[in-house]
Amino acid sequence: MASKSGPRVTSNFQPAMRYPGSKAKIAAQVMAWFPPRLLYGFMGGAVTVYCEPFIGCGAMATSTLPLISRPSEVRVVLNDLDYGVACLWRTIRDDADSLIRLLLNYT
């Protein structure tokens, strides 16, 4: 049985979009079930790889990634079966400025 003890998790980051099956509204509750050693591992630098196999809107990633104390030392792997979702996250990673300009000019 998972433990509910551990660090309090909050995030100012928001998911990239609305998405069916999103955990956006329950991310904090889901993370309360993460083993405390995992959360403390993020904060203490013991975790070196973060893998999100079904990124979707990114609700869990945007809640979890801010906990990483030394982001330059962590390999982040984001994936999704939906090609469009994977491309959106690749664009956010590689060309966010162009995406922002495109969205600001969209009317």
Side-chain angles (χ1 to χ4, degrees):
M1 183 170 168
S3 171
K4 285 187 150 185
S5 62
R8 188 168 192 277
V9 178
T10 60
S11 173
N12 292 328
F13 293 93
Q14 296 294 316
M17 61 185 165
R18 289 185 171 186
Y19 197 74
S22 169
K23 316 289 180 301
K25 293 182 180 178
I26 62 166
Q29 291 89 343
V30 171
M31 290 182 67
W33 290 96
F34 283 13
R37 70 180 181 279
L38 175 63
L39 295 177
Y40 286 119
F42 280 125
M43 293 183 276
V47 173
T48 58
V49 177
Y50 175 84
C51 182
E52 183 80 47
F54 307 106
I55 187 71
C57 71
M60 293 307 300
T62 56
S63 295
T64 307
L65 293 175
L67 296 175
I68 297 173
S69 59
R70 295 189 289 259
S72 63
E73 298 175 12
V74 176
R75 181 170 182 233
V76 177
V77 180
L78 304 178
N79 194 20
D80 202 283
L81 184 62
D82 185 317
Y83 180 74
V85 171
C87 287
L88 171 65
W89 284 102
R90 189 173 301 116
T91 301
I92 290 170
R93 180 193 67 197
D94 297 342
D95 197 12
D97 290 338
S98 293
L99 178 61
I100 291 168
R101 276 193 303 279
L102 179 70
L103 293 172
L104 288 174
N105 290 324
Y106 183 78
T107 55

